[in-house]
């Protein structure tokens, strides 16, 4: 039997995880001399490359010294914790990658906690030791303190450490001795990551992932814990609820390099894909046909946020999208539920609206952006935090927030967070910068990032992770400025925009098509203001000096999808189409909005 190592790579966003995986693939000689794979080999998704983060967990394997190493690349962002939780079940060890300057970050803690609870031993890689002002020894101590605070066992605390620079392609056991390859890391994986402990017994495999092939359909992916799997072998599928169904494995695949290779038999300990089993979900067990035994299912943290997804009913409905009906949206959300473990969808009292629950604004915005690129048109409501009643007490999700920013701007940041019911936990100087740690309700984080970046001239680096549910903290002040709302359908005329610039900041370009009820800017005052920017200049046969000066328009503010979702108020939607993002009022006509206000008060 071939020796196998299954290792998951854990790291915070921007610590060099995907770059390290690239170098490991090159060291495993997956590419011929004539091939030039480029960078970010594993981040194949368009959004992953654009955002510079890993969103989907992926498997790849290399051969080194006669051993097969299955590498599982995990997301570093806490919003994609659902991906992390399930793939860690396939690993026998974790490679914890930490920046030699920044040290362990909040989301490193989040994923590491999951790994330690599963009993996985860490192999620590301190990356970017070629950075100026880096402190590898201090970071090593910080990693030890992190493990200790997470109640790691003595064996887990006695972790081996490798130092190096993934970008420059070297690793070493001593950060002062630069080598010319990353082989010391691969040797450490063979030495310290244990082979899968194969128990005695018949076939058992936990479904930890689902892959969909347009040629053959759904495939169950997981690590074969014990026994063997053979093509056309009769099996039993055991659901999370314990319901048993007879099944058969029609085809089996294992990972080699980036691809899957069809095999007749899979040995215990290897990660494989099974085709032919029907009706499986993540967390189900594929077991022996005669004496089936279920494995413990995957526990998933609950969602903390919800948004309303509804059909686009604006005057521009159907102009840009291909899938626009409620049936299209419902089918797409149902398909997403199969592979996105942390997602939940509920139907509402309206057939056109669906309430979608997720881990955070980024988690749901990635789904919205994916749907948008596939040709869907829809409208999204304001993110709402999930509030529970526990033992008669109203409770809400609370997060740990870390802000890294220049020392002289710390007062501004502390003031902004405390206004949103945040409590400061610590303040750690780091050269000319300072790291602030807070505990803050999830409600307070919505819309904080863009305000924080504006107040700190883009210097602040914000990270946050869900901590627990705590008693409700009271009201948090929302957006102070009202909206500028279009009065008419038509084109935005530069002359009108110029005359109304003192009213606030615009979100639209000159000559852009707009409609009644669209939010086209932010009012400089608190109330909403309805304005007409479709009015053209009246022509006369008189000429006067100075009247025809060129209009100087302030460039409009353009939102990313996340910024738009965090910006809108409760009575507004983000209209999402394949080509545009627009903000609009839920009720487009002013008379309807006023009638609604009268009913409320």
């Amino acid at each position: 039997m071939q020796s196998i190592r299954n290792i998951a790579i854990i790291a915070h966003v921007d610590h060099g995880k995907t770059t390290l995986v690239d170098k490991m693939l090159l060291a495993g000689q997956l590419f011929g001399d004539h091939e030039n794979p480029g960078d970010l080999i594993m981040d194949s998704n368009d959004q992953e490359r654009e955002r510079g983060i890993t969103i989907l967990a992926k498997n790849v394997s290399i051969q080194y010294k006669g051993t097969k190493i299955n590498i599982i690349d995990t997301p570093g962002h806490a919003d994609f914790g659902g991906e992390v939780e399930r793939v860690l079940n396939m690993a026998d060890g974790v490679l914890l990658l930490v920046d030699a300057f920044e040290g362990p970050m909040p989301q490193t803690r989040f994923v590491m906690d999951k790994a330690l609870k599963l009993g996985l031993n860490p192999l620590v890689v301190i990356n970017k030791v070629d950075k100026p002002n880096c402190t590898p020894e201090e970071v090593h101590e910080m990693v030890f303190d992190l493990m200790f605070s997470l109640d790691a066992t003595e064996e887990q605390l006695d972790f081996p450490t490798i130092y190096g620079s993934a970008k420059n392609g070297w690793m070493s056991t001593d950060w002062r001795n630069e080598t010319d390859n990353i082989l010391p890391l691969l040797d450490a994986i063979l030495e310290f990551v244990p082979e899968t402990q194969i128990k005695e017994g018949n076939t058992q495999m936990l479904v930890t992932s689902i892959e969909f092939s347009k040629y053959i359909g759904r495939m169950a992916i997981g690590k074969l814990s014990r026994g063997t799997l053979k093509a056309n072998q009769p099996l039993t599928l055991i659901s999370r609820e314990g319901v048993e169904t007879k099944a058969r494995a029609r085809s089996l695949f294992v990972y080699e390099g980036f691809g899957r290779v069809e095999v007749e038999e899979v040995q215990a300990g290897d990660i494989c894909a099974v085709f032919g089993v029907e009706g499986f979900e993540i967390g189900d067990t594929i077991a022996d046909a005669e004496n089936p035994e279920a494995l413990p299912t995957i526990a998933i943290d609950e969602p903390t946020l919800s948004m309303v997804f509804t059909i686009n009913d604006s005057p521009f409905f159907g102009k840009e999208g291909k899938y626009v009906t409620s049936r299209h949206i419902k089918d797409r959300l149902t398909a997403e539920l199969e592979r996105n473990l942390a997602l939940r969808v509920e139907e509402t009292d309206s057939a056109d609206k669906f309430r979608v629950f997720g881990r955070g604004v980024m988690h749901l915005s990635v789904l919205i952006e994916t749907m948008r690129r596939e040709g869907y048109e829809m409208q999204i409501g304001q993110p709402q935090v999930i509030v529970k009643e526990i033992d008669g007490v109203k409770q809400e999700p609370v997060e740990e927030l870390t802000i890294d920013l220049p020392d002289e701007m710390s007062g501004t940041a502390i003031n902004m967070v405390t206004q949103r019911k945040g409590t400061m936990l610590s303040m750690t100087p780091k050269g000319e910068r300072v790291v602030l740690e807070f505990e803050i309700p999830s409600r307070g984080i919505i819309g904080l990032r863009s305000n924080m970046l504006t107040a700190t001239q883009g210097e602040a680096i914000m990270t946050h992770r869900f901590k627990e549910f705590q008693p409700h903290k009271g009201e948090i002040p929302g957006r102070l400025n009202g909206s500028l709302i279009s009065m008419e359908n038509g084109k935005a005329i530069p002359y009108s925009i110029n005359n109304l610039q003192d009213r606030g900041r615009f979100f639209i370009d000159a000559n852009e098509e707009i409609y009644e009820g669209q939010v086209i800017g932010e009012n400089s005052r608190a109330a909403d203001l309805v304005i007409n920017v479709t009015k053209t200049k009246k022509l006369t046969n008189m000429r006067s000096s100075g009247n025809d000066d060129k209009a100087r328009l302030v460039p409009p503010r353009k939102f990313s999808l996340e910024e738009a979702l965090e910006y809108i108020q409760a009575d507004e939607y983000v209209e999402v189409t394949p080509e545009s993002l627009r903000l609009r009022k839920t009720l487009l006509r002013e008379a309807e909005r006023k009638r609604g206000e009268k009913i409320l008060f």
Side-chain angles (χ1 to χ4, degrees):
M1 283 175 64
Q2 186 182 23
S3 177
I4 298 172
R5 303 284 192 280
N6 298 319
I7 187 157
I9 300 191
I10 291 174
H12 183 76
V13 179
D14 282 343
H15 280 200
K17 172 167 53 69
T18 306
T19 307
L20 179 64
V21 174
D22 288 355
K23 301 300 182 191
M24 290 172 77
L25 299 180
L26 294 170
Q29 298 175 335
L30 283 186
F31 307 100
D33 294 336
H34 63 289
E35 291 181 285
N36 179 23
D39 297 328
L40 308 178
I41 304 164
M42 291 290 278
D43 282 354
S44 51
N45 181 314
D46 286 345
Q47 283 197 67
E48 291 180 317
R49 286 176 174 267
E50 287 164 24
R51 294 169 184 258
I53 60 172
T54 300
I55 295 170
L56 303 170
K58 305 175 196 70
N59 306 337
V60 68
S61 77
I62 60 172
Q63 296 283 344
Y64 181 67
K65 292 187 177 176
T67 300
K68 182 180 183 182
I69 302 175
N70 284 317
I71 303 166
I72 306 160
D73 188 12
T74 65
H77 202 286
D79 278 17
F80 309 109
E83 288 281 318
V84 175
E85 287 156 47
R86 58 186 178 79
V87 297
L88 285 177
N89 282 276
M90 296 193 279
D92 300 310
V94 290
L95 194 155
L96 173 62
L97 187 69
V98 184
D99 188 295
F101 178 73
E102 293 182 355
M105 299 292 276
Q107 283 145 342
T108 315
R109 182 188 185 95
F110 165 81
V111 187
M112 203 62 225
D113 187 31
K114 305 274 180 200
L116 294 175
K117 282 178 179 164
L118 286 168
L120 301 175
N121 290 345
L123 163 62
V124 175
V125 176
I126 296 179
N127 191 26
K128 304 189 184 182
V129 295
D130 53 339
K131 256 188 177 180
N133 305 325
C134 69
T135 53
E137 279 106 343
E138 281 181 32
V139 168
H140 185 272
E141 289 301 313
M142 289 160 73
V143 172
F144 183 88
D145 293 343
L146 169 68
M147 305 273 195
F148 186 77
S149 70
L150 293 172
D151 299 326
T153 62
E154 282 190 26
E155 192 182 354
Q156 287 170 330
L157 286 172
D158 187 23
F159 53 85
T161 308
I162 303 289
Y163 301 87
S165 167
K167 189 177 180 183
N168 295 327
W170 67 270
M171 289 286 152
S172 174
T173 50
D174 184 347
W175 66 277
R176 297 175 198 83
N177 298 338
E178 185 174 332
T179 62
D180 58 359
N181 57 53
I182 66 157
L183 299 183
L185 171 61
L186 299 180
D187 291 329
I189 290 173
L190 297 190
E191 185 180 348
F192 297 108
V193 176
E195 283 197 68
T196 304
Q197 297 299 309
I198 298 162
K199 300 168 190 160
E200 290 294 317
N202 52 29
T203 306
Q204 257 189 339
M205 183 184 115
L206 185 69
V207 179
T208 50
S209 190
I210 295 172
E211 268 192 36
F212 185 82
S213 163
K214 56 186 175 186
Y215 302 110
I216 60 174
R218 295 168 85 228
M219 289 183 284
I221 294 169
K223 183 178 78 174
L224 184 59
S225 304
R226 67 182 200 197
T228 57
L229 267 177
K230 294 180 180 174
N232 289 315
Q233 178 180 336
L235 299 164
T236 301
L237 177 69
I238 309 172
S239 72
R240 295 172 79 106
E241 293 76 31
V243 178
E244 295 183 7
T245 315
K246 294 298 177 191
R248 185 178 292 274
R250 301 223 305 263
S251 306
L252 301 171
F253 301 86
V254 294
Y255 289 87
E256 276 191 21
F258 293 110
R260 291 188 301 265
V261 178
E262 189 167 354
V263 292
E264 288 298 309
E265 186 175 337
V266 179
Q267 71 179 63
D270 206 351
I271 294 171
C272 65
V274 180
F275 167 66
V277 178
E278 298 291 334
F280 61 84
E281 299 296 336
I282 290 170
D284 294 355
T285 303
I286 291 175
D288 186 66
E290 301 300 322
N291 301 304
E293 291 176 44
L295 283 162
T297 191
I298 302 169
I300 300 298
D301 283 354
E302 294 179 39
T304 57
L305 202 75
S306 74
M307 295 180 193
V308 168
F309 283 47
T310 182
I311 57 167
N312 183 12
D313 60 358
S314 81
F316 295 167
F317 154 81
K319 284 189 176 180
E320 297 170 3
K322 192 162 58 166
Y323 307 112
V324 295
T325 65
S326 58
R327 182 179 60 81
H328 284 135
I329 295 171
K330 183 181 180 181
D331 290 349
R332 180 63 182 81
L333 291 174
T334 306
E336 187 68 24
L337 284 172
E338 290 189 348
R339 56 181 176 270
N340 196 333
L341 225 62
L343 196 76
R344 289 185 198 163
V345 178
E346 278 182 9
E347 294 193 15
T348 63
D349 50 7
S350 165
D352 295 336
K353 289 184 181 174
F354 307 93
R355 187 165 288 282
V356 182
F357 298 83
R359 281 302 245 302
V361 173
M362 183 179 268
H363 178 214
L364 291 176
S365 75
V366 166
L367 167 63
I368 297 163
E369 183 65 33
T370 305
M371 291 174 68
R372 174 190 181 191
R373 291 178 187 205
E374 290 170 1
Y376 286 84
E377 241 184 56
M378 60 203 153
Q379 293 178 156
I380 314 295
Q382 186 189 38
Q384 301 289 334
V385 165
I386 295 166
V387 178
K388 292 180 169 184
E389 197 161 296
I390 303 171
D391 300 329
V393 180
K394 191 177 171 187
Q395 303 214 344
E396 65 175 336
V398 169
E399 309 208 12
E400 277 182 14
L401 169 68
T402 304
I403 306 174
D404 181 333
L405 77 174
D407 195 7
E408 66 272 12
M409 296 173 179
S410 57
T412 309
I414 292 166
N415 185 37
M416 286 177 77
V417 177
T418 48
Q419 279 180 357
R420 292 166 174 257
K421 307 292 183 191
T423 309
M424 192 156 141
L425 303 175
S426 70
M427 185 174 184
T428 314
K430 244 187 195 178
E432 293 178 359
R433 296 176 75 87
V434 65
V435 177
L436 309 172
E437 287 192 15
F438 300 90
E439 207 172 71
I440 182 171
S442 295
R443 289 178 298 143
I445 289 177
I446 296 172
L448 177 64
R449 188 182 301 274
S450 54
N451 292 343
M452 184 68 70
L453 289 173
T454 305
T456 60
Q457 286 111 53
E459 290 274 2
I461 301 166
M462 270 178 58
T463 50
H464 55 91
R465 71 176 191 92
F466 171 70
K467 187 179 181 188
E468 61 190 359
F469 276 84
Q470 289 185 8
H472 199 269
K473 309 283 185 189
E475 284 303 309
I476 292 174
R479 196 175 85 207
L480 299 175
N481 298 61
S483 300
L484 295 176
I485 305 160
S486 171
M487 186 188 286
E488 301 278 350
N489 297 351
K491 262 189 185 171
I493 304 298
Y495 166 77
S496 291
I497 295 176
N498 184 45
N499 288 344
L500 291 164
Q501 282 189 132
D502 59 339
R503 294 292 191 174
R505 178 83 185 269
F506 281 91
F507 304 154
I508 54 166
D509 290 304
N511 296 315
E512 188 176 318
E513 288 284 347
I514 57 170
Y515 55 80
E516 182 185 0
Q518 184 176 337
V519 175
I520 56 175
E522 182 181 276
N523 193 1
S524 52
R525 300 188 178 181
D528 287 347
L529 181 66
V530 181
I531 57 173
N532 186 2
V533 290
T534 62
K535 199 189 297 180
T536 55
K537 183 178 180 183
K538 293 289 179 282
L539 301 176
T540 71
N541 58 0
M542 297 288 289
R543 295 186 68 181
S544 59
S545 63
N547 274 5
D548 293 327
D549 286 350
K550 277 189 178 174
R552 288 199 178 92
L553 301 183
V554 177
R557 179 179 176 185
K558 293 293 181 185
F559 291 99
S560 69
L561 179 58
E562 269 124 88
E563 288 167 348
L565 291 170
E566 291 186 342
Y567 179 82
I568 56 173
Q569 303 277 42
D571 64 340
E572 293 169 355
Y573 281 146
V574 179
E575 181 188 340
V576 179
T577 74
E579 293 172 34
S580 313
L581 286 178
R582 300 183 191 93
L583 309 188
R584 53 158 285 181
K585 286 291 178 184
T586 311
L587 300 172
L588 294 178
R589 298 185 60 198
E590 188 184 5
E592 289 176 355
R593 291 196 295 275
K594 285 185 173 170
R595 199 179 303 131
E597 282 173 18
K598 282 178 185 170
I599 293 167
L600 285 171
F601 298 107

